[in-house]
Amino acid sequence: MTSRHFLTLQDVSEDELRGLLLEASRMKSDRSRAQNVLKGKTVALIFQKPSMRTRVACEVAVQQLAGSVIYLGKEDIQLGQREPIKDVARVISRYVDGVVVRMFAHREVEEFARYATVPVINGLSDSAHPCQAVADLLTIQEQMGRLRGVRLAYIGDGNNVLHSLMNGCAMLGVNLAVATPTRYRPDRGIWEQARQSARKHGGSLRWEEDPREAARGAQVVYTDVWISMGQERERAARRQAFGRYQLNPTLLKRASVDCRIMHCLPAHRGEEITEEVMESSGSVIFDQAENRLHVHKAILVFLMTKRKKHTR
Ligand code: CP
Ligand code: NVA
């Protein structure tokens, strides 16, 4: 039996992505919506890295949909050490109805999904964070009243969060300007795919080395940590390379006066963002975090109820 998975935003069509945003906003305005759809179903969370938002939002989402959750942390099943990923994927599929995984290498997430016979949701890998991106798009849509044509600047590391944001923005016509140090540009393949998709959907994607250029006229400015989970040994080099890429009041003078500030959290105040910017009136960071819950509900309903086909 094959299942639909959600490992990157490329696993959904443009219409399906719009559908997820619509369903998430309906979930947000009506907490009792779809309240029994996971009744009798179980979702396993297999997390190799720490998490606050993804874990709690997923667990609460499943509970609000009347399902039950099993959390398996790093030490519980010792994925890939005590037994191979492909065995865990096949066994757990016999017990539960869906799995959310948070792993390191993206190819391990793909391997897990290849062997699983129930839907697999990527709750963050080294190269993608698709659930985050759907929540980000929902937040931008709420704030700006639209997505098409919105001028978004992402300033910082070319990482998992950016990769998924690029995919999503490209599909929905957002004009995204990215500023990273040359050495920390996003993955070339994901960049090229997103560029083509942006062109096709009437949006744009450009890269700047200078964060001031990316911030110029931006209506929304987004950042993420400079040191992602698993990169702790690169801390010193990264802090040095990213110094100019901090969201601070001086940089934000380049942006639109009422620009919104976004961050997927957790934030490192004094590194990628200052306390003042985090706490400023333009910050929509906590709305963005709340939206993780509504988006997880929409994704679970999408994958775990009707079987749908998607041809790219
Ligand atoms: N933004 C996000 O995914 O947060 P967690 O790492 O706490 O899940
Ligand atoms: N880029 C960060 C995102 C955390 C939600 C990381 O991978 O650690």
Side-chain angles (χ1 to χ4, degrees):
M1 190 178 84
T2 55
S3 287
R4 282 290 296 275
H5 302 306
F6 188 57
L7 309 188
T8 74
L9 279 177
Q10 288 177 272
D11 289 325
V12 291
S13 67
E14 179 191 339
D15 282 351
E16 287 171 337
L17 177 56
R18 286 188 199 285
L20 285 175
L21 293 173
L22 183 63
E23 186 59 25
S25 72
R26 287 178 174 155
M27 295 283 191
K28 187 170 183 173
S29 51
D30 176 10
R31 187 180 155 158
S32 62
R33 187 176 169 84
Q35 64 183 343
N36 283 318
V37 298
L38 296 189
K39 203 175 173 80
K41 296 194 174 177
T42 303
V43 175
L45 270 53
I46 300 182
F47 278 34
Q48 306 280 91
K49 295 175 179 172
S51 169
M52 200 277 238
R53 278 142 293 273
T54 309
R55 176 178 177 181
V56 179
C58 273
E59 293 206 18
V60 174
V62 174
Q63 284 163 16
Q64 288 188 4
L65 298 170
S68 47
V69 178
I70 298 173
Y71 177 81
L72 297 162
K74 192 166 164 260
E75 296 306 320
D76 292 314
I77 53 176
Q78 297 175 12
L79 191 66
Q81 290 167 13
R82 189 161 176 266
E83 55 191 318
I85 288 172
K86 61 185 181 182
D87 291 0
V88 174
R90 284 176 287 189
V91 173
I92 204 145
S93 296
R94 307 280 179 114
Y95 301 148
V96 305
D97 305 282
V99 187
V100 183
V101 295
R102 171 167 284 206
M103 294 158 90
F104 286 89
H106 190 75
R107 70 183 143 67
E108 293 186 348
V109 176
E110 290 173 334
E111 182 184 355
F112 191 100
R114 198 159 56 244
Y115 285 92
T117 52
V118 295
V120 176
I121 297 171
N122 180 6
L124 183 145
S125 66
D126 284 351
S127 89
H129 199 0
C131 304
Q132 179 68 54
V134 182
D136 298 341
L137 292 166
L138 179 62
T139 311
I140 297 169
Q141 185 172 270
E142 287 172 349
Q143 291 295 323
M144 311 306 296
R146 67 199 159 97
L147 286 162
R148 180 164 301 283
V150 169
R151 293 194 305 278
L152 168 66
Y154 175 96
I155 294 171
D157 187 21
N159 62 15
N160 45 8
V161 167
L162 173 61
H163 289 158
S164 294
L165 188 67
M166 274 161 35
N167 284 155
C169 287
M171 281 161 91
L172 299 181
V174 176
N175 296 324
L176 173 59
V178 172
T180 69
T182 306
R183 183 160 169 224
Y184 296 101
R185 285 182 76 149
D187 175 87
R188 195 185 294 253
I190 299 173
W191 179 265
E192 280 313 319
Q193 188 282 328
R195 276 270 284 222
Q196 280 172 25
S197 169
R199 222 171 279 141
K200 181 171 146 202
H201 293 102
S204 63
L205 177 60
R206 67 175 217 271
W207 175 82
E208 305 280 357
E209 199 265 336
D210 186 343
R212 293 171 302 182
E213 288 304 316
R216 195 199 297 270
Q219 296 167 294
V220 183
V221 182
Y222 193 129
T223 192
D224 181 22
V225 292
W226 296 338
I227 301 135
S228 285
M229 291 178 275
Q231 297 173 335
E232 292 76 9
R233 274 183 300 182
E234 300 170 34
R235 190 177 298 279
R238 284 179 165 267
R239 276 196 179 139
Q240 196 168 9
F242 284 102
R244 283 196 300 140
Y245 295 79
Q246 182 187 64
L247 294 201
N248 56 40
T250 308
L251 179 61
L252 291 172
K253 282 199 188 109
R254 308 267 166 169
S256 172
V257 279
D258 59 349
C259 84
R260 312 300 203 277
I261 305 299
M262 294 179 67
H263 191 309
C264 62
L265 298 175
H268 296 159
R269 289 165 166 84
E271 288 193 12
E272 75 278 0
I273 191 164
T274 62
E275 169 78 8
E276 191 178 349
V277 172
M278 276 286 298
E279 304 296 338
S280 65
S281 59
S283 166
V284 294
I285 292 169
F286 297 100
D287 297 306
Q288 187 185 353
E290 177 191 331
N291 284 338
R292 295 293 307 276
L293 168 63
H294 311 300
V295 161
H296 276 294
K297 288 173 78 175
I299 293 168
L300 288 163
V301 170
F302 172 69
L303 290 177
M304 293 182 61
T305 52
K306 273 177 278 155
R307 178 83 69 81
K308 300 178 189 78
K309 281 204 166 21
H310 165 50
T311 45
R312 265 185 217 156

